[in-house]
Amino acid sequence: MAMPDDPAWRLLADRQQISDCLAQLARGEDRRDAGLISACFWPDATTDYGIFAGDFAAYLAWVVPGSDAIAVTQHILGQSHVVIEGDRARVETQVSAYHRIDAGDGARDVWLGGRYLDAMERRTGDWRITRRMMVYDWFRDDGPAVDWSQGLMGMAFSAPHFTGRARGDISTAFFADHD
């Protein structure tokens, strides 16, 4: 579809592409999907998460396959403040992230909240991240994780796919099914 020759339409399209990129990246990190993640960063990008900093290749090797100790992860994105200047953008996005972590003494449910500070560029019509920094605002450890093996609220699940997981999540098959 041709884009109307109107700066307001261009701005809306740019903002939507940026939003789609950020949502795809969160999904890629949750599913540990190298293809989804790679489509959101330019190859020359850098990242700094405070606990990991490096170029994009090193980041990808770190986040995929991810730690075996983190069986479930979910990134929940909030509002984004977007400043577009031509083919460059600065974006601050609120994030809450849940992780089920087993450091050897049983699974624990932990939450953190913060903001992604992303420098983005449009190249060949695509918006992708060139630099990402994570700023942490809060952290909460909810203690021992809920045991999903018995179902939910005393009712058994009819199949194991009803609980989320970083690897082998049912959503991967859901999006792969084109029927």
Side-chain angles (χ1 to χ4, degrees):
M1 180 167 105
M3 177 63 60
D5 189 23
D6 179 339
W9 279 104
R10 176 78 261 157
L11 181 62
L12 286 172
D14 289 342
R15 290 180 61 84
Q16 187 61 53
Q17 288 176 1
I18 288 168
S19 178
D20 289 349
C21 176
L22 298 174
Q24 178 175 305
L25 177 55
R27 177 171 168 64
E29 289 175 336
D30 289 343
R31 301 288 71 83
R32 297 182 180 157
D33 185 314
L36 290 176
I37 295 168
S38 295
C40 299
F41 284 92
W42 292 112
D44 59 340
T46 60
T47 64
D48 188 347
Y49 285 84
I51 58 173
F52 173 87
D55 63 22
F56 177 69
Y59 165 73
L60 191 61
W62 176 69
V63 78
V64 175
S67 171
D68 287 337
I70 303 174
V72 179
T73 181
Q74 183 182 60
H75 294 79
I76 304 163
L77 302 180
Q79 73 274 8
S80 292
H81 175 68
V82 181
V83 176
I84 299 172
E85 297 163 330
D87 289 333
R88 294 177 187 248
R90 288 174 287 133
V91 184
E92 177 186 60
T93 303
Q94 304 288 321
V95 61
S96 295
Y98 161 80
H99 304 291
R100 177 162 286 186
I101 299 174
D102 188 344
D105 57 350
R108 300 183 72 76
D109 291 332
V110 298
W111 287 88
L112 62 88
R115 291 162 281 133
Y116 295 125
L117 300 179
D118 293 317
M120 300 184 75
E121 288 183 9
R122 177 178 40 215
R123 301 179 189 170
T124 62
D126 291 328
W127 283 99
R128 295 187 191 185
I129 297 168
T130 59
R131 187 178 71 247
R132 169 168 271 196
M133 178 190 297
M134 176 75 189
V135 176
Y136 298 91
D137 292 320
W138 56 270
F139 175 83
R140 186 174 82 204
D141 184 334
D142 284 344
V146 172
D147 177 8
W148 289 108
S149 67
Q150 302 304 309
L152 180 64
M153 298 183 293
M155 297 173 276
F157 290 123
S158 60
H161 65 260
F162 288 104
T163 58
R165 53 189 49 89
R167 289 188 190 97
D169 189 84
I170 186 99
S171 66
T172 303
F174 175 81
F175 282 103
D177 183 12
H178 300 291
D179 294 334

